[in-house]
Amino acid sequence: MPVWAIFKGGIMARTKLSDDRDLTEEQRLFKESLLEWAERNMPLDRVIKMNREGHPYPRELIKGLADLGVIMGTVPEERGGMGLTWKDQALIADIIGYIDPSIATAAGFMAVETGWGFTIDRHANDEIRKKYVQPAIRGDKFIGIATTEPGGGSDVANFKCTGEKDGDEWVLNGEKTFISGVEEAKQIGGGYWVNVRTGEKVPGAAHKNMTAFFVPIDSEGLTPTEPYDDAGRNSISTGGFIMEDVRVPEEYMLGEKDKGFYYTMEGFDNARILIGASAVGVTRRILEEAADYIKEREVFGSPLAKYEGIQFEFVERYTEMEASRLMVNKVADMQDTRYDEEGWAERSGKAKTYSPTEIAKWISMIKYKVPHLAKDTADDAMHWLGAAGYSSEYIFETAWRGVMSYCVGAEGGANIQKIVIGRETLGKDYVPYK
Amino acid sequence: MRFVVCVKQVPDTTEIEVDEETGTIIREGVPSVLNAFDEFALNLAVELKNEVEEDVEIVALSMGPPQAKEALNKCLAIGADRAVLLTDMVFAGADTWATSVTLSRAIKNIGKTDIVFMGQEASDGNTAQVGPEVAAHMGIPQLTFVTEVESVNNSHVVAKKETDEGFVRIKCETPVMIACMPTPGFEPRIPNIREIMKAKKKEYQEWSHEDLGGDPSEYGLDGSESVVIKTYSPPPKGEGIIVDDEPEVAVKKLMDFFEDEGIL
């Protein structure tokens, strides 16, 4: 045995189907560190096992991800983050999707904790930052978003939870459901961004009078409901909670009263970028794993990869994956430009290079397209592998069940994305606000 | 106190191919990595720095083309305080002698150094000559096959060294060159994103032969004492013979084989 063989080796910044030449030196190192960490802590067989065993997400992996610095990297350095760009964070989300194609890790710690956590940090006061955001960055707490209610999720503005002021406090009532990470938050502490109505519903403008609060999971009067038994991404929980006269101090209001809807749209934008990015990573991992199999497996005397029926499908998905990667890069770049040109978040009309609705269109395009690509690629891979692909011996069925979550609704269903894209391309006369 | 850690960027050892016509290693399209022996040496240096009470500066030093900066960036992320890349076309084509001349002059340029850490060898050349040669040029003692550095003070270092018989603990005067040999199962520390971002702000310098002094003919191919005549991949071994029988039959078959081959 050559002496260098004592090293595990094999972890390169470049994986089989990725082109890293457009990455910065730092981004290549991020990638190398994440892949090396994953090889030690989250190899594919563990991902499959975690998915089978279900939530809560292993505590030591939350700490591991936090120690690596992947959670909320875009939060400014002076507030405990790393001041990463959205391009940096999107690359991290891509690798997280590659490492865990079940998307549980991406859903819990990219879309929710990073996309929404970053937005919480922007609108929270220092007390919430110190007590919840910064510990979540360190992996000691879980923070997330609770928008969906039993009456609906896609129709964000049509919510029923209420908030009434009582002295220096607000009293919150109502129910939130289909929330990621409730069991994890129960286990390690944390809390949620919760939207409530703080004024009369305005006819024709249901989004008005929405106010956002940060609500600790252990608040008196807050009762978590039973977690759902989801089809996939099972290592992170999906649950809900009922609020009965939950009291939160005035300081726990996020941003200004009645502006919650706008902050929520900002949070969706941030989460959706990271979803698109992680779905690129999921797709690349599926293609790499499938490529290994179809090059080896012989049928009627030839490897599967020599049959054009499979070869061409593989190439089509690979091409779509690279096109998606470029789209995600563009969108992340737009978001960096947007945050550089302050003023947009307040909808002040001062956005310069891109308008908020233009960025939202691009974000919706990747949120709609890339998870579907990942799901369809997993579907193809299962067909290429046959019975083996359908079994949990390989990652494909785990990935297929996981990414379906992003197709059907998590962080906005496919048809909602199409409405946003349609309005920006065809115009409001054809796709009006409802 | 100062530690200098010499590192090399090498092709991924799992993917090396040799151009049969030119006899040189094909580097195009092959990912480069930090030599794993050097990474171990750097890990030892960082651990030692964290253990000693005195202030320690760790300088990562490499010789190579401009892209070797990537390996030094990783060193800065892992814990080096600053980095120096010796990069100059004059240095190209250096054998181990010319490399060690260049490195030892660079270490002199860096200033008073207590320990020169090196990997036992590089995974592309596997000569294990550069470390001892650097020690010879600098006129300092050398410890090779070191698996652990237990302590260091202003005058001595105590290290554990692997031998054919086992391990020995050695107390040695500083300055010293320590060539490090990773132990099986060694897992290098993984720099996190915060450390990678912090590394961007650390001092990084590039030096040419003019910064080191001396005549250009003392460096690179001109300064080399050896000539590589040919590099080639060894021919693949033929298929082996597997004897899979009951012990009595298997032993007889083996004995027959040895006799037929004239081994016995």
Side-chain angles (χ1 to χ4, degrees), chain A residues 84-334:
Chain A
L84 298 183
T85 63
W86 281 92
K87 279 184 96 168
D88 290 336
Q89 191 69 53
L91 172 79
I92 291 166
D94 173 316
I95 306 162
I96 293 291
Y98 177 91
I99 290 168
D100 175 7
S102 84
I103 70 127
T105 308
F109 304 96
M110 293 293 102
V112 174
E113 277 220 298
T114 300
W116 288 98
F118 166 85
T119 323
I120 290 172
D121 178 78
R122 266 176 65 80
H123 300 291
N125 64 21
D126 283 344
E127 186 183 338
I128 297 170
R129 287 177 185 146
K130 278 184 191 153
K131 282 178 80 173
Y132 294 97
V133 179
Q134 288 159 19
I137 292 173
R138 296 193 297 269
D140 295 328
K141 279 191 164 61
F142 186 92
I143 60 171
I145 175 70
T147 55
T148 301
E149 296 186 4
S154 293
D155 188 1
V156 177
N158 193 21
F159 57 103
K160 293 189 171 57
C161 285
T162 59
E164 285 182 25
K165 193 158 187 195
D166 182 18
D168 292 338
E169 294 180 326
W170 285 84
V171 182
L172 313 183
N173 279 285
E175 183 174 357
K176 297 289 180 183
T177 191
F178 294 117
I179 304 164
S180 295
V182 174
E183 295 301 303
E184 286 72 13
K186 272 168 62 185
Q187 191 180 53
I188 66 174
Y192 283 89
W193 166 335
V194 172
N195 291 320
V196 297
R197 191 172 294 288
T198 45
E200 288 299 309
K201 189 171 178 177
V202 180
H207 65 285
K208 293 199 170 172
N209 295 329
M210 178 192 276
T211 301
F213 286 92
F214 186 83
V215 181
I217 192 72
D218 57 358
S219 299
E220 197 174 324
L222 187 151
T223 309
T225 50
E226 276 296 299
Y228 290 92
D229 184 13
D230 288 328
R233 63 171 229 185
N234 303 104
S235 52
I236 190 94
S237 64
T238 309
F241 52 74
I242 295 165
M243 296 181 294
E244 291 171 302
D245 293 335
V246 170
R247 288 180 169 271
V248 289
E250 173 88 21
E251 298 76 53
Y252 277 40
M253 184 186 287
L254 298 174
E256 293 176 38
K257 183 175 170 290
D258 298 334
K259 290 196 173 176
F261 181 81
Y262 304 108
Y263 306 144
T264 304
M265 293 302 109
E266 179 189 353
F268 271 126
D269 282 351
N270 291 328
R272 287 169 183 171
I273 291 171
L274 302 180
I275 287 171
S278 56
V280 171
V282 172
T283 309
R284 187 168 62 255
R285 188 59 176 273
I286 292 168
L287 288 171
E288 285 186 11
E289 297 297 317
D292 285 346
Y293 186 94
I294 63 177
K295 287 196 281 190
E296 287 290 322
R297 172 74 169 173
E298 290 201 359
V299 176
F300 304 116
S302 289
L304 283 168
K306 284 202 170 182
Y307 292 97
E308 288 177 342
I310 287 174
Q311 207 178 85
F312 287 179
E313 282 183 356
F314 179 90
V315 166
E316 283 163 18
R317 295 302 180 206
Y318 172 72
T319 307
E320 289 176 85
M321 184 271 289
E322 283 294 3
S324 299
R325 190 172 71 88
L326 295 173
M327 270 182 89
V328 168
N329 273 343
K330 177 185 169 73
V331 173
D333 198 42
M334 289 170 100

Side-chain angles (χ1 to χ4, degrees), chain B residues 47-82:
Chain B
E47 277 172 26
L48 194 60
K49 175 181 172 167
N50 292 336
E51 283 166 17
V52 298
E53 286 180 3
E54 285 182 64
D55 283 344
V56 176
E57 182 192 44
I58 298 179
V59 184
L61 173 67
S62 188
M63 183 177 94
Q67 57 266 33
K69 184 185 176 198
E70 205 167 300
L72 288 173
N73 281 341
K74 186 170 181 182
C75 296
L76 291 170
I78 289 173
D81 299 296
R82 63 185 176 105

